[in-house]
Amino acid sequence: MFTYHIPTKMYFGKGQLENLGSVLSSFGKNVLLVYGGGSIKRTGLYDKIIEQIKSNSLNVFELSGIEPNPKVDSVRKGIALCKENKIDVVLAVGGGSSMDASKFIRAGACVDFDVWDFISKKEPVQDVLPLVCVLTLSATGSEMDNTAVLNNPETLDKCALIDDKLFPNVSFCDPTLTYTVSPYQTACGSADMLSHIMEVYFNRNQDLYMLDTQMEGMMKTIIKYAPIAIREPENYEARANLMWTSSWTINGYIFGCKKAPWSCHAMEHQLSAVYDITHGLGLAILTPKWMEYVLDETTASKFFDFGVNVFGLDASKDMMTVAKEAIECVKDFFYNKLGLKSTLSQININSDNFEKMAKKACGAAGFINGWKKLTPKDVEKIYFNSL
């Protein structure tokens, strides 16, 4: 039994940005524009957005410089801008970082306590400001989900806030806005998407067969179109398929009754909290090692299904053989097809912090109760296997 509800209105396809001004107007007059390092200015997207805002007689205030792993101090600046200027609606432009920061801003603007208290003190989300998103990078699915992730450099924590009030009100998904995304970021975003699905697909809870087939179809879509988007950055079909898949991997649709905690994301959040690496890259390095670590007689059948249904492996072979071949296919996709690094040592990460990171990954419970239960010692071994 489960409840499914998505309140986000999606404008998908080429040219949908022409509706942005009227959508923003429906929420009020004062807009906080949140974006990252300035790529939207280089591509001309910034000018188009400002034109939409000005042509609808709206007032715009800006918060730029949102980091790839958004930091709590940047969010605090956004909250201050909202309170000082009586912001009516937050407009996030960019990828997951801008959108996640904006989700914390919209919640923090409506309370008197510090925004990090949502994490450290488990303060409940109260009212939120309306949020409109313009997606420029297919990866996190933040444009259509109820989750936001935030980094605190002082405590070396990267934590998620999950609340249904965080769903964006409206999101604009124009695949042409991703044409300028670099091959590296396209690869990392695709690895992130694939991991979102795998975290649900490889799950101890048996669930609807239909949802498994949906997940297998999404994974095949990413595996097919990510290399094409890297080779042909202005291939609309490839960019559109990746963008729409990004939204549906993590908006709750595929979850069903599969509620077990995610394993690879918990481990990777420690990597990007301590070393500030790209989230998708960390997932690409850890995931195959996690797969190898949890593969045994009790899990082989799911790896078998995965190998046969996603990669087209020979179903007549021994189950364990196919399971191992499936993991090799994942490695080939991440490291050869996408061209990502395959070890932590390749990105200058050593074992100095592994013990501490492993404990944090397991949280207050002292373990990750995922597909296979992982203790801090298990997580530490996976980190070492990833060197």
Side-chain angles (χ1 to χ4, degrees):
M1 182 171 65
F2 58 87
T3 301
Y4 178 65
H5 173 64
I6 295 294
T8 304
K9 183 174 183 177
M10 302 291 286
Y11 285 81
F12 189 94
K14 191 182 301 184
Q16 288 282 26
L17 208 62
E18 65 186 23
N19 297 297
L20 178 63
S22 60
V23 167
L24 291 172
S25 296
S26 69
F27 296 113
K29 282 287 186 182
N30 296 329
V31 180
L32 176 65
L33 172 59
V34 180
Y35 58 99
S39 62
I40 66 168
K41 291 187 176 180
R42 293 192 297 272
T43 62
L45 176 58
Y46 175 87
D47 292 335
K48 293 178 182 178
I49 288 171
I50 294 299
E51 181 183 355
Q52 282 287 314
I53 291 173
K54 295 300 185 182
S55 64
N56 284 268
S57 302
L58 304 175
N59 305 313
V60 62
F61 304 85
E62 296 188 25
L63 175 66
S64 61
I66 297 298
E67 306 87 353
N69 287 305
K71 307 298 188 292
V72 66
D73 281 346
S74 295
V75 167
R76 288 172 177 141
K77 292 176 184 176
I79 292 169
L81 285 171
C82 288
K83 292 180 176 181
E84 291 166 6
N85 300 288
K86 298 182 179 178
I87 295 297
D88 296 307
V89 56
V90 180
L91 172 60
V93 181
S97 296
S98 294
M99 291 183 287
D100 282 9
S102 295
K103 289 178 181 179
F104 275 99
I105 290 169
R106 71 189 299 214
C110 297
V111 296
D112 293 328
F113 52 80
D114 182 70
V115 67
W116 190 249
D117 289 353
F118 286 124
I119 302 296
S120 62
K121 298 181 180 179
K122 307 298 182 185
E123 291 284 356
V125 177
Q126 299 176 16
D127 292 332
V128 296
L129 294 176
L131 173 63
V132 177
C133 297
V134 177
L135 182 63
T136 64
L137 172 64
S138 304
T140 67
S142 296
E143 68 276 4
M144 202 180 182
D145 78 359
N146 63 347
T147 303
V149 178
L150 189 62
N151 277 38
N152 189 332
E154 292 183 4
T155 61
L156 293 180
D157 284 316
K158 180 177 181 179
C159 301
L161 178 65
I162 303 174
D163 192 287
D164 282 355
K165 294 187 182 73
L166 298 182
F167 278 109
N169 297 75
V170 182
S171 287
F172 289 82
C173 297
D174 181 344
T176 66
L177 299 181
T178 65
Y179 283 176
T180 57
V181 175
S182 70
Y184 171 72
Q185 289 296 342
T186 299
C188 290
S190 299
D192 192 7
M193 283 187 270
L194 195 60
S195 179
H196 290 162
I197 305 169
M198 289 176 174
E199 297 274 29
V200 182
Y201 184 82
F202 294 108
N203 197 297
R204 66 174 180 270
N205 304 120
Q206 294 302 311
D207 204 358
L208 297 173
Y209 169 80
M210 182 275 285
L211 290 177
D212 272 3
T213 65
Q214 297 292 292
M215 286 185 272
E216 289 162 358
M218 289 181 185
M219 288 188 281
K220 290 170 71 173
T221 298
I222 297 166
I223 290 164
K224 175 179 179 178
Y225 283 109
I228 295 174
I230 289 171
R231 293 194 309 268
E232 306 169 27
E234 295 189 11
N235 185 309
Y236 184 85
E237 181 181 3
R239 293 295 192 180
N241 274 280
L242 291 176
M243 180 171 271
W244 198 225
T245 302
S246 166
S247 298
W248 284 91
T249 62
I250 198 172
N251 67 7
Y253 170 65
I254 63 175
F255 294 178
C257 294
K258 296 182 177 180
K259 306 301 183 186
W262 292 10
S263 300
C264 292
H265 272 68
M267 292 187 289
E268 198 292 319
H269 280 174
Q270 300 311 310
L271 281 176
S272 47
V274 175
Y275 299 102
D276 205 25
I277 64 171
T278 303
H279 178 53
L281 174 61
L283 289 170
I285 293 172
L286 289 176
T287 298
K289 296 303 181 184
W290 167 79
M291 289 178 158
E292 291 174 336
Y293 194 82
V294 301
L295 174 60
D296 59 25
E297 292 76 11
T298 68
T299 60
S301 62
K302 194 65 178 181
F303 281 116
F304 177 89
D305 292 344
F306 172 68
V308 170
N309 297 332
V310 176
F311 288 103
L313 299 180
D314 186 352
S316 67
K317 289 185 178 181
D318 171 73
M319 182 180 293
M320 187 60 74
T321 298
V322 173
K324 291 179 180 178
E325 288 179 354
I327 297 173
E328 292 303 312
C329 287
V330 174
K331 291 181 182 179
D332 178 67
F333 177 69
F334 284 151
Y335 312 138
N336 296 326
K337 301 291 195 312
L338 297 186
L340 294 171
K341 301 294 186 183
S342 60
T343 66
L344 296 176
S345 58
Q346 287 177 310
I347 53 175
N348 300 315
I349 293 177
N350 58 35
S351 62
D352 291 352
N353 297 297
F354 284 178
E355 183 178 359
K356 185 184 298 184
M357 289 162 51
K359 289 179 180 178
K360 277 196 172 185
C362 290
F367 55 84
I368 301 173
N369 197 24
W371 192 32
K372 294 284 287 187
K373 185 176 178 179
L374 300 176
T375 67
K377 287 297 183 185
D378 294 318
V379 173
E380 193 173 352
K381 287 177 183 177
I382 293 172
Y383 285 144
F384 271 104
N385 292 344
S386 302
L387 279 173

